[in-house]
Structures are given as structure tokens and as C-alpha cells.
Amino acid sequence: MAAESKSERAYRLIRERIDSGQYVPGYRLVLAPIAVELDMSVVPVREAIRRLEAEQLVTFERNVGAQVALIKETEYLHTMQTLALVEGSATGLAAPFITPDQIARARAVNQTMRESLTAFDPQRFTELNLEFHSVLFETCPNPHILDLVHRGWNRMKVLRNSSFSFVPGRASESVEEHERLLKLIESGASALDIELAARAHRTATLDAVLSHTGEHRLPPPAP
């Protein structure tokens, strides 16, 4: 296997920090410190930043330089709408292949989510939410749809705003909808019914956020 290039190593480090939220929207990407940290010249770091710019994760502004892209107001809306479609489809297609053990695992995660409501941490709840849904969509037999689901969740991580930070009351509703979704799968409901239920579950969170922010004005980036 070919050794990882310096540019690829710089790209991976910066991308991981954007995805994790360590580099927040607007964070200035100064080449020299990154190059020193990676023990390389600024040239491969610059190449990595150009690649991230092509992916619209980084912008370059005159007199400012490279910085992590700011979130457009419509980005959350479009990402959630897309995720509702592809995750709903993936869950419906996966349903016949979900085992009783997987149902039990998803239900245990959901119980942890329910217990967490008393000392609510939106970020932790969001992590558990992904863990729950992953159990249901990872057995999707269509790898192309599954790839789109992963891209949607990764984009949500880049946005770095937990929906539940803005509508914490939605969390308890979400837990109950999870249980109803599990019961649908257990009962052998049709793939279409499961897909529509999973899609409605996702759009209900979107609707709650839009209602909270009003006039489709979406949450600003996390500080």
C-alpha cells in the first residue's frame, strides 16, 4: 500500500478537526502552525486547504485568508430534508434484515436516551440518536443509498448544531417515536410503511426547529 502523502496527511488532520467541531465555522486556518505541527512545509498544507475549499468546507477571503466555511442559513434545512429521504429509504430496505439482537440493541440505546432526559445533554443525546439509527439503517442492502445516509450524517456533524439544543422538548417525543419505529419493524410492517415512519420522524425534528426559529431562520453556528 502506498505511503500517505504529506498533502493527504494534512487534509486528513484538518478534515477530522472540522468534522469533530474542533475547528468551528469561521476558524482561521493559518498554514504555518499546522505545518509545524505536522513537521512539513506549508506547501502540502496549502494543497490540503485547496482541496477542502473545493469541497466547500473551507473558504478563502481577501485580507482574512483560509477559514472554515460559515454555515449558510439553508444548509441545515436542505441537509435534513435530504437525510429524511435517504435515511427513510435505507431503514425501510434494511428492515427485513434486522435481527432480534439488533432490535434489542437499538431498544437499549433508546432506553439510555430516555434516562438521559432528566439531566439533558443535547450533544450526548445527538450521539445516542446516531447510534440508535445506525443499528436500523446499517443493514441496508443498497450500498449507494447507505453511502448517501453516511454523507448526510457527516454533513450534520460539520454543521455541529444539535437540533435538540434549540428544541429540547423534541427529545422526549423522539424517544417515543423510536419505540414506535421498532414496533413497526418487529411487526413485519411493509418497507414503505417503515420508510414513511422513519422519514416523518426526521422531518418532525426539522419542523420543530423551523417553528422555533421562525420564518425559516435557522440556528447560527455554534460558538
Side-chain angles (χ1 to χ4, degrees), residues 86-116:
V86 296
E87 187 181 347
S89 178
T91 304
L93 290 172
F97 306 99
I98 296 174
T99 66
D101 284 347
Q102 288 171 312
I103 291 285
R105 182 154 60 93
R107 187 163 274 131
V109 173
N110 200 42
Q111 180 59 29
T112 301
M113 296 176 76
R114 182 178 282 109
E115 292 167 357
S116 75

